[in-house]
Amino acid sequence: MESEGTSVLLDHIHQPEDLKRLTVEQLEQLAAETRHFLVEKLSVTGGHLAPNLGVVELTIAMHYLFDSPKDKFIFDVGHQSYVHKILTGRKDKFDTLRKYKGLCGFVKRSESEHDVWEAGHSSTSLSAAMGMAVARDLKGEKNRIVAMIGDGALTGGMALEALNHIGHEKRKLMVILNDNEMSIAPNVGALSHYLARIRSDRHYVKAKEEFEHLIKKIPAIGGTLAKTAERVKDSFKYLVVPGVWFEELGLTYLGPVDGHNLPLLLETMKQADKVNGPVLVHVITTKGKGYSPAEADSHTWHGISPYKIESGQVLKTVGPPMYTEVFGSTLIELAKQDERIVAITPAMPGGSGLLGFAKEFPGRMFDVGIAEQHAATFSAGLAEEGLKPVFAVYSTFLQRAYDQVVHDICRANLNVVFAIDRAGFVGPDGETHQGVYDMAYLRSIPNMVLMMPKDENELRHMMKTAFEYNEGPIAYRYPRESGLGVPMDETLQPISIGTWEVLRPGSDAAILAVGPMIPLALEAAEAMSKEGVQVRVINARFIKPMDEAMLLQLAKEDIPILTLEEGAELGGFGSGVLEHYSQHNVYGLRIKIIGVPDYFVEHGSVKEQRKEVGFTAERLVSELQALVPRRRQRA
């Protein structure tokens, strides 16, 4: 750690204006204290440590030079906003970080007037900043718009679209490119700093224009000399200016600048503020700066569980493997049997469990960066040529590729396999990451097959099912949690498409449960049995197509039905059951749908999120009691 002991300065920082009384030397001490605070607090709560350690000086510089909330700070993704939260009056709430009803791990407008843009998905900041800049100008206001975006997020197509528009409009706007993937050689940094100063200085720009005007006045040769000078100038610019691409787009480029050198950073940002138009400040930072375990392995420490500060040992609970781990190991197993299998991820090889696959099959693993749309259509191209692409993606990030799933994959009926991780509630990541919408939007697309396992063993069989299926797109979804600890079959067998299974017999009512809701359904059924009501529990493992034979049999028996899903109640699995009966002209059945209500569920533990929306045995028992006719209940 760069600093130990008490927070001499940090204890007196309650709002951004408190920074402005400090000297630059004191700001450097404040940066060290802030790092110590982050490492200490996140060792208990967990969270995004490495990204925030990397932007300490950068965030301090922004608040020191500018005036939030009048000046708008827009953080791309928002997981690197912890320092911003500390400096804007939320330091004392960090013990509640990412906990239920506590401090959000992302920017959140309801928390503070200093939070002006919410985002859990990347590459949105520049478009939002452009909208705010235009609104400012139309209203005749003079505030600054500052957007911080990472080098990874810049690969997102939306960010590139926004850069194109920003350069075209020429409005005053500052983009800070937080680049934590490259280093600066001292001579390159010094040269770039010199060029940044002279190229942003209005006197230099005016002198250059006057010089070119004088050359053109020379009789006979002035025009030729001017053209030659222009070519020489451009050649020199292409040789020494690393940001020429941004300049060609219409942004003034400053940098690269060391993001941990506060005096240099402050000077560069002051120069950037003088530019009357869009300017991009290229800042080089180190993820995990100041805490050696995070610096050595910024990937692991990007989002971390609680840990021991001294050793960096992550505190993990012992238990069954995560569904993600089961997916990763099973994919390797199947890929050894079928060389057509390839894996695609949009910048989440670790989170999606693909690091082992990448090591085993480096030529068959494709990390396309933060580009979900490209990943989907890239998968379509692979499938078109006879390969077996597995698009491994978080449920929340698949939303970003909806058009490509519809237009490029399902419409063409291409045999792409979707491995949808983080399906259902995601706990501390909260409302921007909840995987509760994919069932509703995927089941509405023609040609799609969608399934979810009751346990980790069934996930393995579903993966086998997907690879033997050749008739179009197929998806299996699985939660962000550990498996149930069930025995794992060595031999994998495909499951007949569109078939469900009865897990518990019963003739008084039926629960059609999906995935992680099955243990809850079994618990409720057991409670009802003590009242003399026998509830049939069905593993509705195929969301699409549904088991029509079983649904029609339930209707024939006139059994009350309760559907249970950890997905959006509107348009989800339960809606599909109603649609089925409507299509078959079956009326008069007693059906109750239980799913995620029509609002965004905030961060907390998965257990707390499920309790909030009513996923409890007590609620299921109450609903079943209301469904089952009295004659079927014990008097």
Side-chain angles (χ1 to χ4, degrees):
M1 286 297 301
E2 293 179 351
S3 173
E4 301 293 340
T6 59
S7 300
V8 177
L9 293 175
L10 188 57
D11 287 344
H12 297 90
I13 303 298
H14 305 291
Q15 289 297 330
E17 54 264 28
D18 296 332
L19 286 174
K20 303 183 189 303
R21 296 192 294 267
L22 304 181
T23 64
V24 174
E25 291 74 18
Q26 287 176 314
L27 291 180
E28 292 177 329
Q29 180 185 338
L30 178 66
E33 293 179 11
T34 301
R35 283 199 169 86
H36 185 269
F37 178 88
L38 284 170
V39 171
E40 184 177 58
K41 292 297 183 181
L42 269 62
S43 70
V44 179
T45 64
H48 291 91
L49 180 63
N52 285 283
L53 290 177
V55 298
V56 172
E57 289 87 358
L58 181 53
T59 310
I60 288 174
M62 289 166 60
H63 278 292
Y64 183 71
L65 291 176
F66 308 133
D67 299 306
S68 174
K70 177 184 176 183
D71 295 331
K72 311 298 182 184
F73 295 169
I74 304 167
F75 295 87
D76 202 272
V77 180
H79 66 270
Q80 79 281 44
S81 64
Y82 292 6
V83 182
H84 166 74
K85 289 174 182 272
I86 291 170
L87 301 177
T88 54
R90 287 167 277 180
K91 175 169 57 71
D92 295 338
K93 298 179 181 178
F94 258 75
D95 290 334
T96 71
L97 181 69
R98 291 162 54 88
K99 295 181 179 179
Y100 191 64
K101 302 298 183 182
L103 202 63
C104 181
F106 298 87
V107 174
K108 192 170 183 63
R109 288 180 292 177
S110 61
E111 275 187 9
S112 171
E113 62 179 347
H114 297 279
D115 289 7
V116 300
W117 179 254
E118 295 183 10
H121 295 178
S122 79
S123 312
T124 68
S125 60
L126 302 187
S127 296
M130 183 59 182
M132 292 181 190
V134 170
R136 173 202 60 200
D137 294 347
L138 290 176
K139 293 189 293 182
E141 298 174 349
K142 299 296 182 183
N143 60 296
R144 302 174 181 90
I145 309 295
V146 182
M148 183 201 295
I149 186 170
D151 54 306
L154 205 61
T155 66
M158 186 175 175
L160 301 180
E161 293 169 10
L163 277 176
N164 183 57
H165 189 206
I166 289 169
H168 173 74
E169 286 279 342
K170 304 293 185 185
R171 297 177 188 271
K172 186 173 177 61
L173 167 67
M174 186 183 300
V175 176
I176 297 176
L177 174 57
N178 175 30
D179 183 348
N180 49 41
E181 291 297 330
M182 60 182 289
S183 59
I184 315 170
N187 58 335
V188 174
L191 176 60
S192 296
H193 179 52
Y194 169 74
L195 289 173
R197 292 189 66 180
I198 63 172
R199 288 167 59 238
S200 63
D201 189 282
R202 60 185 178 86
H203 299 296
Y204 165 74
V205 173
K206 187 172 187 296
K208 180 171 70 70
E209 291 173 349
E210 290 176 352
F211 174 69
E212 292 172 352
H213 179 68
L214 287 172
I215 287 179
K216 290 178 180 179
K217 284 190 173 183
I218 300 175
I221 63 170
T224 303
L225 280 177
K227 290 178 182 178
T228 302
E230 185 68 25
R231 285 197 298 271
V232 171
K233 182 191 69 175
D234 284 347
S235 297
F236 180 72
K237 182 172 71 172
Y238 276 88
L239 178 65
V240 301
V241 181
V244 69
W245 182 72
F246 297 106
E247 296 246 341
E248 293 297 330
L249 280 174
L251 289 83
T252 299
Y253 172 91
L254 305 181
V257 59
D258 183 352
H260 305 297
N261 183 331
L262 256 171
L264 182 59
L265 190 58
L266 289 168
E267 176 63 22
T268 304
M269 291 176 69
K270 287 178 184 176
Q271 294 294 332
D273 192 39
K274 295 177 183 178
V275 176
N276 188 27
V279 57
L280 184 139
V281 182
H282 185 177
V283 180
I284 308 300
T285 62
T286 300
K287 268 190 173 182
K289 178 71 172 178
Y291 183 56
S292 55
E295 281 196 49
D297 185 3
S298 62
H299 172 79
T300 298
W301 290 80
H302 174 82
I304 197 71
S305 301
Y307 54 89
K308 294 182 179 179
I309 297 176
E310 296 77 12
S311 64
Q313 178 186 353
V314 179
L315 306 177
K316 291 186 176 180
T317 57
V318 178
M322 299 282 288
Y323 277 90
T324 302
E325 297 174 50
V326 175
F327 160 74
S329 60
T330 305
L331 187 64
I332 293 173
E333 180 183 333
L334 292 168
K336 289 178 179 178
Q337 303 167 16
D338 189 342
E339 63 183 13
R340 296 175 302 160
I341 293 174
V342 294
I344 301 95
T345 177
M348 297 299 293
S352 293
L354 291 174
L355 293 179
F357 185 93
K359 184 177 180 180
E360 187 81 26
F361 306 105
R364 293 157 64 181
M365 166 72 185
F366 301 93
D367 182 351
V368 302
I370 301 176
E372 291 86 359
Q373 293 171 303
H374 166 64
T377 302
F378 171 59
S379 299
L382 292 167
E384 181 69 42
E385 293 302 308
L387 296 184
K388 281 280 189 177
V390 181
F391 180 18
V393 60
Y394 292 7
S395 170
T396 185
F397 296 145
L398 183 59
Q399 295 164 186
R400 295 157 64 90
Y402 180 73
D403 179 63
Q404 287 67 33
V405 174
V406 173
H407 184 271
D408 300 333
I409 296 176
C410 291
R411 186 187 55 83
N413 201 30
L414 293 173
N415 193 201
V416 173
V417 177
F418 294 87
I420 305 174
D421 201 342
R422 271 66 167 175
F425 288 134
V426 296
D429 282 340
E431 58 194 300
T432 59
H433 283 60
Q434 305 288 23
V436 299
Y437 305 109
D438 61 89
M439 284 193 288
Y441 67 75
L442 288 177
R443 58 173 290 272
S444 65
I445 309 173
N447 296 327
M448 176 64 78
V449 172
L450 181 59
M451 48 188 171
M452 188 171 197
K454 68 179 184 294
D455 55 43
E456 63 270 37
N457 184 53
E458 190 169 54
L459 171 62
R460 285 169 47 78
H461 291 286
M462 284 186 174
M463 293 177 69
K464 178 70 170 178
T465 304
F467 288 124
E468 293 204 0
Y469 183 77
N470 297 304
E471 298 176 25
I474 185 168
Y476 43 85
R477 58 193 307 272
Y478 43 96
R480 182 190 187 180
E481 57 187 39
S482 297
L484 302 181
V486 300
M488 306 288 264
D489 297 331
E490 290 188 14
T491 302
L492 300 181
Q493 300 290 340
I495 303 169
S496 181
I497 300 294
T499 59
W500 296 344
E501 65 173 343
V502 176
L503 300 178
R504 179 184 177 117
S507 57
D508 296 324
I511 301 177
L512 311 183
V514 177
M517 294 290 96
I518 287 172
L520 179 60
L522 290 169
E523 182 183 352
E526 177 63 23
M528 289 297 291
S529 70
K530 295 175 181 178
E531 299 183 11
V533 178
Q534 302 306 317
V535 177
R536 189 179 311 175
V537 177
I538 296 170
N539 172 21
R541 55 195 176 188
F542 282 90
I543 295 105
K544 183 183 181 182
M546 294 185 175
D547 192 328
E548 293 195 359
M550 192 172 290
L551 282 171
L552 291 175
Q553 179 60 35
L554 289 170
K556 184 177 180 180
E557 296 178 41
D558 192 26
I559 293 180
I561 296 171
L562 185 152
T563 70
L564 183 59
E565 61 192 299
E566 193 169 275
E569 193 171 278
L570 301 183
F573 168 73
S575 294
V577 171
L578 294 178
E579 291 160 11
H580 168 83
Y581 286 128
S582 174
Q583 290 163 0
H584 288 81
N585 298 317
V586 176
Y587 309 111
L589 294 178
R590 299 168 66 88
I591 300 177
K592 175 66 178 180
I593 296 174
I594 296 181
V596 178
D598 189 27
Y599 69 89
F600 292 105
V601 179
E602 297 185 350
H603 57 282
S605 68
V606 171
K607 182 179 180 180
E608 288 167 329
Q609 290 165 343
R610 288 174 176 167
K611 182 178 180 181
E612 177 182 319
V613 302
F615 292 166
T616 64
E618 292 78 12
R619 192 242 174 132
L620 261 61
V621 167
S622 176
E623 298 287 2
L624 288 166
Q625 289 171 338
L627 272 177
V628 177
R630 290 294 176 186
R631 60 182 173 81
R632 295 185 181 179
Q633 298 186 40
R634 178 181 295 169

